[in-house]
Amino acid sequence: MSDTLTYDLNVNGEIETITAPAEETLLTVLRERLHLTGAKRGCDQGVCGTCTVLIDGEPVRGCLTIAALCEGVEITTIEGLATPEALDIVQQSFVDTGGIQCGFCSSGMILTVSSILKSNPEAGEAEIREGISGNICRCTGYEKIIDAAVLAAQQINGAAR
Amino acid sequence: MTEVLDTIGQRVTRLEGKDKASGRAQYTDDMTLPGMLYGAITGSPHAHARILSYDISAALEVPGVKAIITGDDYDWFRSGGHVKDETLLAKGKVRYIGEPVAAVAARTQKAAEEAARLIQVEYEELEAVLSIDDAMNPDLPIIHEEFSTYQMKVTDLEVSGNECWATSAEEGDIDAAWAECDAVVEETFETQAQHHLYLEPASALVDVDANGKVTIWGPNQGVHFIQTRVADYLGLPLTKVRAISPTVGGGFGGRAGPHVQPITAALALKTGKPVKITLSRAMDFETCRSRHPSRVRMKIGAKKDGTFVAQEAELLFDGGSFMDETPAVASFGLMMARGPYRIPNFRGSARAFYTNKLRAGSFRGFGNPQTTIARECLIDRLAQALDLSPMAVRQKNAMVAGDKWLGGQEVPACGFAQCLEEVKKAADLDKAQLPPPAPGKKRGFGFSGFAHISSFLASGASVQLREDGTITMNTGGIEIGQGASTILAQICAEALKLPIEDINITEPDTDTTPYNYKSVGSRTTYTTGRAVKAAAEDVADQIIEHAAAMLDCDPAQLTLISGGQVGVKADVTDSPLVNRTITFKEASLRAHYGVGGPIIGTHTFVFDGPPFDREGSKMKAVVFGNMGAYIYGVQGAAVDVDEVTGQVEVVKAWAAADVGRAINPTNIEGQIQGGFAQGMGYALFEEMVWDNGRLVNPTLMEYKVPGVKEVPKVQTIIVEDPEPGGPFGAKGVGEPAMVGVAPAIANAIDDAIGDRPNSLPMTPEKVLDVLDPS
Ligand code: FES
Ligand code: FES
C-alpha cells in the first residue's frame, strides 16, 4: 500500500486540504477529489496537453505532476479563468473565432494561450504556434485556434493601450 | 441571387461554446453518480484462440470487487451494424488481441483493474489470420465458423471462407470500351489502418433503476443506434434501455457504434448500481475501431483529348475481427469509386475479409478515401500519358447537374466544376507568391477531386412553441464538435424568423427524442436539418392559424415577421389589418390556455431520393437502397520534398467544397481545416501497426497525429450551388473534408520528384524508395 499524505493546495485562489496517496497526480486530485473536471485526461502520458493547468502562470501537464509536490504554488485551472458573469478574453476569443469544436482540447489550449500572452503580449502567429505545439487538437486543424489567440492578443493589447 | 436570410449564412457562435471554454461542459468521465462503481476489462492476449475455461477466484478476493462477468454468464445474444456477429464479451473464442473476455465492477478503479488482471482464462491458441492475403488463404482457420447462422439484412451475399462481404456494380460495356481508349493506366494502391484519435477516450456511465432499465451516457454519434445495439447485446427490449448524449469529445465515425456501453450496462445490471468505465488511451486504441486497411486495383482509360471512357475498380478491405460497418463501407467505397466524373463504362467490385485484428469500422470518409486515392492518382498519370494538364482532364470530365451517379441516380445540383475552377485560381495565385523551397527541396503541386453524400436513412425532429413565445427543439443530431447543434438551431430559427437566442435545444435522449439514425455520413445538416425545417414550418403554420383567428382574417393573408411576430403580407394593402401584429407569445398563450392546445410541430422522413437502379447497374449486395444529396469538392496541396531525407512538408493547401448553401461559414471552414489535418496525417504518417496480431503503437507517443507545426494554412473556398430538397439548399461537408487530401499530397509529391509511393502513409522511407528505387 502506498503512503497517504495530507497537504494543502492553492487552486484558483482557494486553499484545499488534500489527503491522498503520495504518488497521486495533480490531474487525478483535481478531477476526482476536487471535482474540477475541466482538465481532461486525453492520454495520461504527457503527450496531448488536454490536462494542462497553470502553476505560477506556467503551463504544466497535470498527468505528469505529483500533486503533493505542488504545495506553496498557485494552481490555475480552466475553472479559475471566468467569472460567473463572463468568460475572460482568451476564452471568449476561442468561442468567437470557432477555435472550439469538440472542446476536449480547449481547456488546455486556452490555458496555454493565456500563459503565452501573459508572458509575451506581443506574441504573433509564430510565437503562438511554438507555444501551443505541445497541445494536440484533432478537430480544428489549429487554424481557428491560432485566430483565437491572435484575436485575444489584439484585445489584450488594445485594452492595455 | 440567393435569398437574403436572417440567420442562415451567419457566423453564429457555437451554442455550447461557453460551456466548453469555461470547462463546464460535462463529458462522460466528468460525471459521477452516488454509489457509483468503477469497471475494468480483461482483454484477450491472443489474436485467435478458443476459450477453454475461466478462473475468477483470485479476482473475487480483491477487496471492493462487486461483480465479475465472463462469456459464461450470457446467452448468445449477438449484435452488429449490418450483420449480427458480436457478443457482449468473447464467447467460446477470441478473435483479436485485446478483445474483452471478462469485466469487473469494483468500488475503486484500482480494485477493478487489479481484479481484471487476476482473472485467469485458459485458451487453446489457433493460427491467426492477419492480413487480406491470409484471409484469402484456404489453409488458414475460419474466424467465424457460425457465419451462415448470423442475422443479416441482405439476401444476395455470396461469400465463403474468411471473406465476409462481396458487392459489385457495372455500367456500360467495359470489355468493348478499352479498345476505344488512347491511353490506359492501371495501378494498385495500399492504404493503412488509421485511428480516429478523438481526444476523449471511450467512456460510459450507466445507471440502472429498480425495474432493470439502464440509462447510458457515453460519447456517441446516435443515441438511438446505441440504444438498439445495447438492447441487442443484452437481450433487452428498447423500453429497458435509455441512451443520453453528454458532451462528446470528438467522433469522426469512431462513435458510430458502441464501445464500452454494452459491458458497462451489463455490470450495472449485475450490481444494481451505477458503473463507469473509461478506457486508457492504449485500450481505446486496441479495442474500439479503425479505418479499413485496403488494397485497391484500378484501371482508367481515356481518349486523346482526355475524355474518360472506362474505369475498372477492384477494392479489397480488411475488416478485422467483426463486421461492424464493413458491409456499408465496402458498398459505399464501391459507389464512390467513379467519383464526380463522367465515365460511361464502369465495372467495380468490393470484397471485405475477416482478420484477427481490431474491427475496422466507420471513419470519416467511409471507404471513400481508399478509392479516391487510387482514382485521383491515376487521373494524374493518365494526364501525363496524354500530355495534358491533370486539372484540365478533371475539368473536361467533371459531372454536372443532370448527370447520373453510379447506380443511375440523377444528381440535381453539382458545383464540382466551380470547385475545380476556384481551387485552380487560388493555387495559381499562390504559385507565384510562395517563397521558393529551401535548397535540397523540390516543390510540387497536386490536386484531387472528391465527392460524398449527405443523406440516407431516417430522421425526425420536434419543435415546440413555449408559453413565452420561445422554442424548444428536440432532435437526435449529436453535437460531436462538428457544430450540429448550432446548425440545426439556425435552421429552426430561420424557419421561424426568430433570433437564435430564442431556440433552446435539448440533449438527445432516447426517452424523448424523435428517432435519428445517427450523426454520420455528413447527413445531419441535410437530413436532420430537413426534419427540423419542416417541423418548424409546421409550428409556423399553427401560429399563423391562431393569429388569423385572433385577427379574424384568412391565414393566407398573414406571414411571419422577424422577431417572433405574425403580420400581414406585403401585398395586403387595403385592409384594416395593415400594421396589426400578433406575437408568438400571444398565439402560444391562446393555444395553451384557450383554443387548440400547445403548439408542437413534428416532422419525420426517410431519405426520399430515387432508388438505385439495381438491375441496370448490375448491383449486388449494396446495402443502400438509395443515398444522395451529393457533396462535391476539390483539394490541393503544395509540398516540399527533401531529396535527402524523403521528408514531405505541406506548405500550403486549398480546399473548395460545394455545400449547397452555407449555413454557418465558421463551422464549414472548421470542418474543412480539421479534415485537411486528419487527411494529412493519413497521407503522411498515421498508421496503426500490428505485429503478429499485437498493436505495437497504441499510445500517442508512438502513434503520431498532426501537430500545429505540421499543418499548413488551408485556404477554404465555399461554393454554394443550392441542393434541391436541402434545408435552404444546404448539405453536409464534414466527411469529405479529408477524402481528397491524401491524393492531392500524393500528386504533389509526384509533381515534385516525378513519382510517388502507391501506399499510404507516404513516409520518408517510401518517398526515398521512389526517389532512388535501387
Ligand atoms: S493527459 Fe496529460 S498530456 Fe495527455
Ligand atoms: S476541439 Fe476537439 S480536440 Fe480540439
Side-chain angles (χ1 to χ4, degrees), chain A residues 101-105 137-140, chain B residues 199:
Chain A
Q101 288 190 22
C102 82
F104 209 75
C105 71
C137 174
R138 188 58 154 170
C139 298
T140 63
Chain B
L199 273 195

Side-chain angles (χ1 to χ4, degrees), chain A residues 64 133 155:
Chain A
L64 295 182
S133 63
Q155 291 185 351

Side-chain angles (χ1 to χ4, degrees), chain B residues 353-373:
Chain B
F353 301 88
Y354 280 130
T355 58
N356 290 117
K357 290 186 299 192
L358 175 65
R359 75 185 69 64
S362 174
F363 192 161
R364 193 183 213 165
F366 208 76
N368 195 353
Q370 292 93 327
T371 59
T372 300
I373 177 101

Side-chain angles (χ1 to χ4, degrees), chain B residues 31-267:
Chain B
M31 301 191 281
T32 32
L33 290 172
M36 186 181 88
L37 303 174
Y38 295 83
I41 293 170
T42 307
S44 163
H46 302 297
H48 199 188
R50 263 178 230 301
I51 297 172
L52 301 179
S53 63
Y54 304 90
D55 178 359
I56 59 169
S57 52
L60 281 171
E61 299 289 304
V62 176
V65 168
K66 294 287 171 193
I68 294 179
I69 55 175
T70 71
D72 273 356
D73 298 323
Y74 295 90
D75 290 330
W76 287 97
F77 292 126
R78 284 212 179 87
S79 182
H82 298 263
V83 173
K84 297 195 181 191
D85 64 354
E86 290 206 46
T87 47
L88 178 75
L89 294 163
K91 179 95 181 167
K93 215 178 154 174
V94 287
R95 296 179 172 90
Y96 69 96
I97 292 179
E99 182 178 356
V101 290
V104 183
R107 298 200 24 194
T108 65
Q109 187 65 48
K110 231 175 145 187
E113 280 168 14
E114 195 184 336
R117 257 193 311 275
L118 291 172
I119 291 171
Q120 298 289 322
V121 183
E122 201 187 334
Y123 297 96
E124 176 197 326
E125 258 193 274
L126 300 168
E127 207 172 343
V129 177
L130 297 171
S131 64
I132 292 173
D133 289 326
D134 280 0
M136 291 198 263
N137 178 351
D139 296 334
L140 288 178
I142 300 288
I143 297 172
H144 286 262
E145 292 94 336
E146 311 86 358
F147 185 75
S148 62
T149 67
Y150 294 166
Q151 268 183 48
M152 60 181 79
K153 291 178 192 159
V154 304
T155 52
D156 56 345
L157 182 66
E158 286 173 39
V159 291
S160 63
N162 282 314
E163 183 175 5
C164 62
W165 208 258
T167 168
S168 54
E170 189 174 337
E171 289 182 2
D173 183 352
I174 183 90
D175 295 320
W178 297 117
E180 292 171 38
C181 300
D182 296 310
V184 175
V185 290
E186 178 174 358
E187 262 186 80
T188 299
F189 294 80
E190 305 229 347
T191 69
Q192 78 282 31
Q194 181 185 24
H195 188 59
H196 307 76
L197 224 285
Y198 33 68
L199 273 195
E200 178 197 13
S203 182
L205 169 63
V206 179
D207 199 5
V208 57
D209 73 10
N211 292 319
K213 176 176 176 179
V214 291
T215 300
I216 303 164
W217 293 263
N220 73 94
Q221 291 181 236
V223 286
H224 299 91
F225 191 76
I226 296 301
Q227 176 194 32
T228 313
R229 291 284 306 269
V230 171
D232 273 358
Y233 276 116
L234 295 170
L236 296 173
L238 295 180
T239 51
K240 294 283 191 221
V241 183
R242 175 184 183 193
I244 301 177
S245 191
T247 311
V248 179
F252 316 113
R255 330 285 205 179
H259 37 87
V260 289
Q261 299 98 327
I263 290 174
T264 315
L267 288 170

